[in-house]
Amino acid sequence: MLTEKDLPELFSYRSAYREPADFDVFWKDTLAEARARQEAALDLAPVATGLETVDVFDAVFPGFDGHPVRGWLRMPRRRTGPLPAVVQFHGYGSGRGAPIDDLLWASAGYAHLLVDARGQGGAWAGGGGTPDPVGSGPAYPGFLTRGIEDRTTYVYRRVFTDAVRAVEALRGRADLVDPAKVAVVGPSQGGGIALAVAGLVPGLAAAHFQAPFLCDIRQATRLTDAEPYAEIVGYLAARRNLVEQTFETLSYFDGLAFARRATAPAWFSAGLRDAVCPPVTAIAAYHAYAGPKRLRLWEFNGHDAGGPEDLATALSAFGALLKTSSRPPGVPSPAPAS
């Protein structure tokens, strides 16, 4: 069990992760290929919900290889012009859910695009609407090892590309959103996806990473037996000769590399009792992050990383950054513990 005496040591952790030499080339080529395939257009169809203050649209845009990716775009009904926007990515195994879910950001005055992770949505939160038409070799049950034998076939190459295209597609709707005031957010897997987008998309206005997944991946597999990281452990228990090859693939998808390239003001959070995404991995991503940043460590929380109270912090911070024409306030680095 962590004690107050342990916190300085925890916060001082630095990861041994080393990114591949061709990391930037790999992602530049991947995104260039997606952009050449099809323009990032966001098609919207209104959805009847019975809500009186929020409009909901079934959103579709072309992701990796032009595959259609779905989401919900929620907008405050009373709007007079382009709005600041929040692009949200969901947790592992979830999906975009129902049209009337996740009303926080639209209720706060933002255009809110909640994006599916392809192939997921069968586990909880109402399901998703985006299949992954790409197959893979042998994989451990779950999503984390699909296509892991090679960086070009790995499932998160497609998921991260979809996420980048979501931001590009939303920015293309200047009739609805202000392209200069777009933020990315997400919990767990969604935090890991948002972190990847923050490192790949220039000019984002803000970011919130709540217990981010896929950070300091090799260390995470050493620290926890919980799913989803246990999928990597199970996969390598049966494929003992593929350890280095597997972590070579994963090195192109580690949040620490994306954090080094991200410059938007960012808020990180972690629960010190998180058995799913060990808090030290979020701390490693925080230290790697190149932009202005804050970190909140929730001493008695687990994978919820502060839950709605942490979201309230992001809501307040985003209001100062995205809803004023004056110069945003500085975002200093915080003390090690809350």
Side-chain angles (χ1 to χ4, degrees), residues 321-337:
L321 284 169
L322 277 71
K323 289 190 171 183
T324 177
S325 58
S326 61
R327 186 172 62 88
V331 188
S333 299

Side-chain angles (χ1 to χ4, degrees), residues 267-295:
W267 283 258
F268 288 78
S269 66
L272 293 186
R273 296 169 187 266
D274 190 343
V276 177
C277 295
V280 73
T281 64
I283 291 171
Y286 166 81
H287 285 312
Y289 197 84
K293 56 198 176 184
R294 286 188 185 273
L295 169 66

Side-chain angles (χ1 to χ4, degrees), residues 1-7 10 211 223-227 269-283 296-307 338:
M1 180 180 296
L2 283 167
T3 68
E4 184 177 353
K5 184 178 179 180
D6 298 322
L7 291 178
L10 183 73
L223 294 176
T224 181
D225 294 324
E227 301 285 353
S269 66
L272 293 186
R273 296 169 187 266
D274 190 343
V276 177
C277 295
V280 73
T281 64
I283 291 171
R296 180 67 188 268
L297 300 177
W298 296 89
E299 184 176 359
F300 295 101
N301 288 89
H303 195 49
D304 65 317
S338 59

Side-chain angles (χ1 to χ4, degrees), residues 24-335:
D24 290 312
V25 172
F26 172 74
W27 281 107
K28 179 180 178 181
D29 291 348
T30 294
L31 296 178
E33 181 180 327
R35 290 166 182 145
R37 169 74 66 170
Q38 194 170 347
E39 181 182 356
L42 185 66
D43 295 328
L44 301 173
V47 178
T49 62
L51 299 173
E52 295 186 1
T53 60
V54 174
D55 291 326
V56 183
F57 301 88
D58 187 3
V60 185
F61 62 91
F64 180 90
D65 206 25
H67 302 150
V69 179
R70 307 195 82 88
W72 298 121
L73 179 67
R74 300 180 176 94
M75 306 275 293
R77 182 159 296 171
R78 294 184 180 180
R79 52 187 188 273
T80 58
L83 298 174
V86 172
V87 183
Q88 180 180 348
F89 308 99
H90 59 71
Y92 190 83
S94 179
R96 64 176 182 166
I100 61 173
D101 292 341
D102 295 297
L103 300 176
L104 170 68
W105 293 105
S107 299
Y110 297 89
H112 173 224
L113 180 62
L114 177 59
V115 183
D116 263 342
R118 58 169 62 215
Q120 298 187 25
W124 59 284
T130 305
D132 183 8
V134 181
S136 75
Y140 192 87
F143 312 103
L144 198 52
T145 62
R146 291 185 181 179
I148 203 169
E149 59 271 8
D150 189 272
R151 61 183 184 172
T152 62
T153 59
Y154 189 44
V155 63
Y156 281 97
R157 181 180 183 230
R158 302 189 290 280
V159 171
F160 288 176
T161 301
D162 293 346
V164 169
R165 299 289 280 167
V167 173
E168 293 175 347
L170 186 60
R171 277 178 161 174
R173 294 299 302 258
D175 57 322
L176 299 176
V177 306
D178 182 343
K181 293 184 178 180
V182 177
V184 292
V185 303
S188 191
Q189 175 186 250
I193 297 172
L195 186 54
V197 174
L200 293 170
V201 176
L204 293 175
H208 181 227
F209 315 116
Q210 199 171 24
F213 183 49
L214 295 173
C215 294
D216 203 6
I217 300 171
R218 189 157 195 169
Q219 180 70 351
T221 63
R222 297 182 178 123
L223 294 176
T224 181
D225 294 324
E227 301 285 353
Y229 283 120
E231 295 175 22
I232 297 174
V233 176
Y235 177 83
L236 293 177
R239 293 164 180 81
R240 303 173 187 86
N241 61 323
L242 297 182
V243 173
E244 294 309 317
Q245 177 181 327
T246 296
F247 284 108
E248 173 67 16
T249 293
L250 290 168
S251 68
Y252 289 88
F253 304 90
D254 198 299
L256 272 65
F258 297 110
R260 293 167 184 165
R261 291 155 174 80
T263 59
W267 283 258
F268 288 78
S269 66
L272 293 186
R273 296 169 187 266
D274 190 343
V276 177
C277 295
V280 73
T281 64
I283 291 171
Y286 166 81
H287 285 312
Y289 197 84
K293 56 198 176 184
R294 286 188 185 273
L295 169 66
R296 180 67 188 268
L297 300 177
W298 296 89
E299 184 176 359
F300 295 101
N301 288 89
H303 195 49
D304 65 317
E309 290 188 36
D310 194 68
L311 283 176
T313 298
L315 193 65
S316 174
F318 282 19
L321 284 169
L322 277 71
K323 289 190 171 183
T324 177
S325 58
S326 61
R327 186 172 62 88
V331 188
S333 299

